[in-house]
Amino acid sequence: MTANKLSKNDTPVVAILTGSPSDLPVVLKGRDVLDGLDIPNDVRVLSAHRTPRETAEYIAAAEKQGVEVFIACAGMAAHLAGAVAAHTMRPVIGVPIASGALQGVDALLATVQMPPGVPVATVGVDGAKNAAFLAARIVALTHAEVHERLVAHLEASKKRYD
């Protein structure tokens, strides 16, 4: 691990994208995890279908600014995670959102079933918290202080069950 120091006020290293403002209640649970671990992050509403050009431009700019992991949250068609993965070599974590008639089953299947060469890690339906913890583990590979904060958080979590 390197000695890179991160705090909430730094340039984001995790970007959380969501396809619709209606998804924000779920998305913000993931942001809260990242904020609690002092991991700089950015939340944006961008759609693979409605704003594809803006989405691609944001991904390119975010990479240049230092984003290391993308979290893509989407319901129904759930194309966002694949669209993000098509535009970056950074890890992408998909969060299917419970919405529509199928309550997230369609989003889960769409997010999990990526074509070869377009990998997306996928967490459970409405699993923004787990997506944030996975992003934290990825960031912790190169940021020792994030590793330390994540270990301390996990130890504190274990004590709640003692």
Side-chain angles (χ1 to χ4, degrees):
M1 285 183 250
T2 65
N4 298 336
K5 295 287 182 191
L6 291 178
S7 72
K8 275 194 284 198
N9 299 322
D10 289 339
T11 302
V13 294
V14 177
I16 306 174
L17 308 180
T18 187
S20 171
S22 65
D23 299 337
L24 286 172
V26 172
V27 171
L28 296 178
K29 292 175 184 176
R31 184 195 62 190
D32 290 346
V33 168
L34 296 172
D35 286 349
L37 293 168
D38 287 329
I39 297 173
N41 62 85
D42 186 32
V43 176
R44 298 289 175 106
V45 177
L46 290 165
S47 171
H49 298 105
R50 293 182 183 98
T51 60
R53 180 176 298 126
E54 292 87 346
T55 301
E57 290 170 355
Y58 173 78
I59 294 163
E63 278 189 350
K64 288 179 184 169
Q65 293 172 355
V67 167
E68 298 174 15
V69 182
F70 289 92
I71 298 173
C73 308
M76 295 169 60
H79 180 63
L80 186 58
V84 172
H87 291 289
T88 186
M89 293 297 292
R90 305 287 197 276
V92 177
I93 304 165
V95 179
I97 302 291
S99 61
L102 300 179
Q103 287 303 297
V105 173
D106 50 345
L108 175 63
L109 295 174
T111 306
V112 170
Q113 293 299 116
M114 289 293 121
V118 187
V120 170
T122 306
V123 296
V125 175
D126 288 348
K129 284 184 178 181
N130 266 352
F133 281 118
L134 179 54
R137 288 179 179 208
I138 294 168
V139 170
L141 293 171
T142 55
H143 299 280
E145 76 286 0
V146 172
H147 182 268
E148 292 166 12
R149 290 192 297 260
L150 190 54
V151 168
H153 173 82
L154 294 172
E155 288 300 317
S157 295
K158 288 179 189 176
K159 289 179 183 173
R160 286 183 230 148
Y161 295 101
D162 289 342

